[in-house]
Amino acid sequence: MTAPLTILGIESSCDDTAAAIVRQGDDRNQGRAQILSSIVQGQTALHAPFGGVVPEIAARAHVEKLDHCMEQALAQAGLKLTNLDGIAVTAGPGLIGGVLSGVMYAKGLCAATGLPLIGVNHLAGHALTPRLTDETPFPYLMLLVSGGHCQFLLVHSAEHFQRIGGTIDDAPGEAFDKTARLLGLPQPGGPSVEQAARNGDPMRFPLPRPLLDRPGCDMSFSGLKTALLRARDSVIAEKGGLNAQDQSDLAAGFQSAVTAVLAEKSRRALALYLGLNPARRSFAVAGGVAANGPIRGALQSLCAETNTQFIAPPLALCTDNAAMIAYVGIDRLRRGAIDDLTLSARPRWPLDAATPSQLGSGKKGAKA
Ligand code: KG4
Ligand code: ZN
C-alpha cells in the first residue's frame, strides 16, 4: 500500500496562470490520481491588442494572479496548506519571466511551510497527462500540438522520453493564430479559423504541404503561413479586399494543409512506434490544436486503421493547466526527486536531451 500524497501544482510558463491540487494513493480511490481542484486563469484579453503574448505583461499578470489561483485551488479542494505533502511548480521550458514568477512563488510557499519543493518540466506534464486521465500504461506515442509545442514523443517511462520529430519552426497553433490575423479573424486563431473553414472550399487555394516530401517526422509550418499571405494578397490585389467567402476558402485551404501534414507525419511516427512496441498500441494527443475537429478526426481515423487506441484527454487537461504539474510532482516526490531553494527557472529544457528540437523562440516563448 502506498501512502496517499496530496500535491499543489503551479503553472505559469506561458499565458495561463494555474493552480491545482491532485491526490494519489487514497485506498478509497484504488490508487488512482484524483484532481481535487484545478484553477486556470487565462490572459487572452491582456494580450489581444498586441496580436500575441507579450512576455513582460504575462509575467506581471502571473505575479498578480498566482496567490489568488492558489487560494481558490485550496478552497475548492476544501484543504489548507498544512494538508499538503508538497508543492510542484513548472520550472521550464517557457517564457522566462512567467516561469520565474511561478518558481519564486513556490519557493516562498515552501520556505514558509517547510513543504518539499518539486520542479517539474512543463512538457513532462503534457506528456504524462494520459496517465492522469486514462491510466495509460507505458509505453505510448504522444503528439504534443499547441501554440508553443509540436513534437512526437515515445513515452517510455515518467523519466524517459524520446523525441522522434517535431516542428523545425512555428508550432501549428501559432500558425493558426497568425492565419487568423492575416484573415482578420479573432484570436485565438484556432477556433476562429476552424469555424471560418466550415463554409470554405479547401481546393480553391492549394497551399503547400511542407516537408511531406522528406522522410522522417519533422514538420514545418512557417512556409505555409507565407504561402497563405501570398494567396491572400493576390485576392486583395484583384478585388480590393477579402469577402467572407474568400476568408473561408483561405481558412479551409490552410486547415486542410495542416491536417494533411499532421496526419501523414503521425502515420510515420506511429509506424515507427508500433514497429518497436507492437503490443502497446496507444497514441495520445495533447495541446490546444488537438481540439480541432478535422485534425482530431484525421488522427482518429489513422488509429482506427492501425488498430491503435486513440487517447485524447478532455480539453481542459489537454491545454495548459496545473493538475498535470501536480501529477508529475506526485511521481517525483514518491521517488525522492525533490528540489531545494536553489531550483532555477529554465526557459529551455528539452525532455529528450539527446535529441533536442531545432527550434528557436516563437511568440509563445522557447519551445523545447
Ligand atoms: O495548449 P494551448 O492552450 O496553449 C499552448 O500553446 O501552450 O494551445 C493554444 C493554441 C492556440 O494557438 C490556439 O489557436 C490553438 O491552440 N487552438 C486551436 C483550436 N483551439 C485552440 N487550433 C486549431 N483548432 C482549434 N479548434
Ligand atoms: Zn503547454
Side-chain angles (χ1 to χ4, degrees):
M1 196 184 77
T2 46
L5 289 179
T6 307
I7 299 279
L8 167 71
I10 293 169
E11 158 62 36
S12 59
S13 65
C14 187
D15 58 348
D16 290 305
T17 317
I21 297 177
V22 177
R23 175 177 289 160
Q24 191 183 36
D26 196 327
D27 277 350
R28 284 163 300 178
N29 208 33
Q30 295 164 338
R32 276 194 75 146
Q34 256 179 298
I35 300 173
L36 303 185
S37 61
S38 181
I39 308 294
V40 181
Q41 291 191 7
Q43 306 177 354
T44 308
L46 287 178
H47 302 287
F50 305 96
V53 177
V54 183
E56 281 301 317
I57 294 177
R60 279 166 196 270
H62 287 308
V63 171
E64 281 167 20
K65 289 166 188 264
L66 274 163
D67 211 36
H68 188 232
C69 280
M70 186 276 289
E71 278 176 1
Q72 269 190 294
L74 281 175
Q76 208 176 79
L79 296 176
K80 298 196 164 79
L81 277 172
T82 47
N83 300 123
L84 300 176
D85 296 298
I87 296 176
V89 61
T90 297
L95 297 170
I96 184 65
V99 179
L100 255 177
S101 314
V103 167
M104 296 310 288
Y105 180 71
K107 281 185 186 178
L109 283 179
C110 289
T113 56
L115 287 168
L117 172 69
I118 308 143
V120 169
N121 183 308
H122 175 87
L123 300 173
H126 280 304
L128 297 175
T129 296
R131 295 180 55 74
L132 168 63
T133 57
D134 294 77
E135 295 186 273
T136 307
F138 294 121
Y140 51 89
L141 174 68
M142 147 109 353
L143 169 62
L144 190 49
V145 66
S146 70
H149 327 292
C150 180
Q151 52 189 287
F152 290 107
L153 291 167
L154 305 189
V155 184
H156 297 290
S157 75
E159 287 291 280
H160 182 197
F161 306 91
Q162 194 181 342
R163 190 181 186 285
I164 59 167
T167 181
I168 59 166
D169 41 54
D170 290 352
E174 197 172 357
F176 267 99
D177 294 341
K178 286 178 183 165
T179 294
R181 226 167 295 134
L182 289 175
L183 299 182
L185 299 169
Q187 295 293 321
S192 52
V193 169
E194 181 177 1
Q195 199 189 344
R198 280 195 197 114
N199 313 314
D201 170 11
M203 310 299 280
R204 179 170 157 209
F205 299 101
L207 296 173
R209 269 81 171 132
L211 297 194
L212 274 198
D213 53 341
R214 282 208 228 147
C217 304
D218 277 339
M219 292 166 274
S220 160
F221 296 99
S222 78
L224 190 51
K225 177 191 66 198
T226 313
L228 183 94
L229 173 68
R230 289 217 187 89
R232 181 203 70 165
D233 286 350
S234 71
V235 177
I236 294 176
E238 193 186 317
K239 302 189 189 172
L242 293 183
N243 64 27
Q245 193 58 53
D246 299 326
Q247 277 179 326
S248 287
D249 293 344
L250 285 161
F254 168 80
Q255 184 173 260
S256 81
V258 175
T259 305
V261 170
L262 285 172
E264 174 54 26
K265 295 289 177 166
S266 297
R267 179 182 298 281
R268 294 181 199 176
L270 193 55
L272 201 155
Y273 166 78
L274 291 176
L276 299 169
N277 303 284
R280 284 255 183 255
R281 310 182 80 84
S282 305
F283 180 34
V285 287
V289 179
N292 183 281
I295 292 174
R296 189 182 274 245
L299 302 179
Q300 250 160 347
S301 312
L302 170 64
C303 286
E305 271 170 45
T306 52
N307 191 25
T308 300
Q309 187 192 7
F310 180 68
I311 302 153
L315 192 59
L317 294 172
C318 257
T319 53
D320 286 351
N321 67 89
M324 66 182 190
I325 303 304
Y327 178 69
V328 177
I330 290 177
D331 180 73
R332 292 185 68 78
L333 183 58
R334 280 204 199 290
R335 286 185 287 112
I338 59 172
D339 294 279
D340 57 26
L341 297 183
T342 62
L343 174 69
S344 34
R346 299 173 64 175
R348 285 171 187 264
W349 185 2
L351 266 186
D352 176 0
T355 327
S357 98
Q358 304 164 45
L359 275 173
S361 289
K363 96 174 158 74
K364 294 218 167 184
K367 294 161 284 186

